[in-house]
Amino acid sequence: MIRNLIRGIITLLFGTLGFYLDYVLLRLDLLQSLGWNFPPVWTYVTMILLFACLGFLIAPLSIRSVLTLMRWMDSRLTRVPTHDLMGGAIGGIIGLIISSLFSNSFISITFFGPLLAVLLSLFLGYLGLTIGMKRKEDVLGFLNFIPRFRDRGDKQKEAKAGQPLEAGDSKDQNPHYKILDTSVIIDGRIADIVKTGFIEGTLLIPSFVLEELRHIADSSDLLKRNRGRRGLDILNQISKETAIMVHIHEQDFEDINEVDSKLVRLGQVLNSPLLTNDYNLNKVAELQGVKVLNINELANSLKPIVLPGEEMLVQVMKEGKEPGQGVAYLDDGTMIVVDTGRRYMGQNVTVLVTSVLQTAAGRMIFAKPKSALEKKPMGLRSTDEVNAIG
């Protein structure tokens, strides 16, 4: 409905343009000089219909172009700091005021006068906008007589004294926003990490992520429904029980269907890192130049370092895949494969670490019971076992 209304307005504007051009041509007697001796009424009707049809045909393309331009401007403006916008707006207004003073001298010129006035307004407006953004501190300095702007300027200077670069001025990742995806919210560990104070800035929750959480919470599948409700509870917990700011970001990308692709695009637009534990999203985002903070990598890096030869007291919980193997676990969930550990099922046993394997899924420790190594004759022991004993 709105598109049809806009298309009708564009058609009407083009018809008006045809009427104006016909008026100018008749006034300059150009049609008579070309040998067109039609009555003025018919020339008006012809020009209006011709330009109206032209406007009706190019209206869809014009609407798409304007929408694309608006999306591009929106994505650009969200990355521009507020002080740059204010300085540019003031500079642009000053440029337009100056152009209005000179435009009166061009309007009296026949035919080309209004065109020159428009070009002058565009040039001086853009020039004022550019100078205002580059010299924003000098432009905003004139507003220091207003207490609110004076206080804001003082705070900005104090912040700059503590930071070498202002957010938005740096070409690096924007440290103020951390974009959360659905998986890291449902995971729940992000709430504990936030409580520790290691994450600074603002947690950004895209509206499409919140919508996906709502769909999961309303799912007919019990498991999915519980996961979605857990994610919503985690968000409420972070917003109420922690000091970090949580912001709902309303920008959406209607030309993209997948949530992961929208997250990557949002990270590119805001120049901000993604907080996730999704392995595939991690790799796709890194390929497209978006920084990723993966809490699985954080958890793996915080696991205690275990070296071959160390003694550990573990409880063998179950059988391993290979004959005679037993499996134990550390408090952080790290798997310990105990060779010949099946006989110690359900018992606490002291083991010696023989090797440590780091995989994408986590860390895996291989060990042997200390008692078995001590009873084994020295000549029958392998090199790894001798090194493990020390």
Side-chain angles (χ1 to χ4, degrees):
M1 180 65 184
I2 297 178
R3 288 179 177 269
N4 293 333
L5 179 62
I6 296 175
R7 191 172 189 178
I9 294 174
I10 293 175
T11 303
L12 182 62
L13 290 176
F14 268 78
T16 306
L17 177 63
F19 177 85
Y20 175 75
L21 288 178
D22 188 72
Y23 170 76
V24 173
L25 293 175
L26 289 175
R27 188 175 179 181
L28 298 177
D29 295 332
L30 293 179
L31 294 178
Q32 286 77 7
S33 62
L34 294 175
W36 294 356
N37 297 320
F38 298 103
V41 175
W42 289 108
T43 59
Y44 278 122
V45 172
T46 303
M47 293 293 285
I48 290 173
L49 291 177
L50 180 63
F51 275 82
C53 292
L54 180 63
F56 184 81
L57 293 175
I58 69 173
L61 178 61
S62 302
I63 294 172
R64 287 196 297 268
S65 302
V66 170
L67 291 177
T68 303
L69 179 62
M70 290 177 63
R71 293 194 191 100
W72 179 81
M73 290 180 64
D74 180 65
S75 63
R76 297 287 295 180
L77 290 176
T78 53
R79 301 172 58 179
V80 179
T82 305
H83 284 79
D84 288 358
L85 287 176
M86 294 174 61
I90 295 174
I93 291 172
I94 294 175
L96 291 175
I97 292 174
I98 295 175
S99 67
S100 65
L101 299 177
F102 290 97
S103 296
N104 295 329
S105 58
F106 294 104
I107 292 178
S108 58
I109 302 176
T110 305
F111 189 74
F112 292 104
L115 180 62
L116 292 175
V118 171
L119 293 177
L120 181 64
S121 299
L122 291 175
F123 173 73
L124 291 180
Y126 177 76
L127 183 63
L129 176 68
T130 305
I131 295 176
M133 293 183 67
K134 291 183 178 179
R135 305 297 299 272
K136 59 180 180 297
E137 294 181 358
D138 298 334
V139 173
L140 296 177
F142 291 102
L143 301 177
N144 283 340
F145 63 90
I146 303 177
R148 184 174 180 181
F149 284 96
R150 183 170 60 250
D151 295 340
R152 183 177 296 178
D154 295 339
K155 290 179 180 179
Q156 185 183 12
K157 290 180 181 179
E158 292 177 2
K160 283 190 174 182
Q163 296 179 353
L165 287 175
E166 184 184 9
D169 294 339
S170 174
K171 294 182 180 180
D172 298 331
Q173 299 288 330
N174 190 339
H176 285 282
Y177 292 136
K178 308 293 187 302
I179 305 172
L180 271 64
D181 78 329
T182 311
S183 61
V184 80
I185 296 173
I186 295 176
D187 180 275
R189 288 177 291 176
I190 185 62
D192 298 327
I193 297 174
V194 170
K195 286 181 180 178
T196 61
F198 280 98
I199 294 182
E200 297 179 348
T202 302
L203 294 182
L204 211 64
I205 315 296
S207 58
F208 49 84
V209 168
L210 202 60
E211 186 68 17
E212 185 182 31
L213 271 178
R214 188 185 66 80
H215 281 301
I216 296 175
D218 293 338
S219 174
S220 58
D221 190 310
L222 179 61
L223 180 59
K224 287 186 177 181
R225 184 164 64 248
N226 291 336
R227 284 164 54 86
R229 291 177 179 177
R230 171 182 168 80
L232 295 175
D233 292 339
I234 291 296
L235 286 181
N236 290 328
Q237 179 183 347
I238 294 174
S239 60
K240 293 178 180 179
E241 300 179 8
T242 59
I244 197 168
M245 184 178 296
V246 179
H247 177 67
I248 306 298
H249 193 68
E250 298 295 340
Q251 183 176 4
D252 198 354
F253 304 97
E254 298 179 356
D255 56 327
I256 302 176
N257 295 325
E258 295 184 358
V259 174
D260 287 355
S261 301
K262 291 184 178 182
L263 284 167
V264 175
R265 174 72 67 84
L266 184 61
Q268 293 173 335
V269 170
L270 298 181
N271 199 24
S272 301
L274 301 179
L275 253 172
T276 183
N277 62 352
D278 190 329
Y279 179 82
N280 295 326
L281 176 60
N282 191 343
K283 294 302 179 183
V284 171
E286 288 180 350
L287 286 174
Q288 300 192 33
V290 178
K291 184 178 179 181
V292 178
L293 304 177
N294 195 320
I295 63 172
N296 284 338
E297 295 179 358
L298 175 63
N300 290 332
S301 65
L302 293 177
K303 290 181 179 179
I305 299 175
V306 180
L307 299 176
E310 290 189 13
E311 293 186 8
M312 304 175 65
L313 181 63
V314 298
Q315 183 181 14
V316 181
M317 304 295 294
K318 62 179 183 179
E319 298 180 10
K321 292 183 178 180
E322 300 296 331
Q325 282 184 347
V327 177
Y329 295 94
L330 294 179
D331 293 336
D332 59 4
T334 303
M335 179 186 292
I336 304 174
V337 179
V338 182
D339 192 17
T340 68
R342 180 180 178 183
R343 68 184 72 172
Y344 302 103
M345 285 278 294
Q347 301 179 21
N348 292 326
V349 61
T350 302
V351 298
L352 284 174
V353 178
T354 57
S355 62
V356 180
L357 178 62
Q358 180 68 47
T359 64
R363 185 180 290 116
M364 185 178 295
I365 300 174
F366 295 90
K368 289 190 175 184
K370 183 179 179 182
S371 58
L373 289 173
E374 290 176 348
K375 292 178 182 179
K376 197 172 183 180
M378 192 68 181
L380 299 178
R381 294 175 182 171
S382 64
T383 305
D384 293 338
E385 294 172 353
V386 174
N387 293 334
I389 296 175

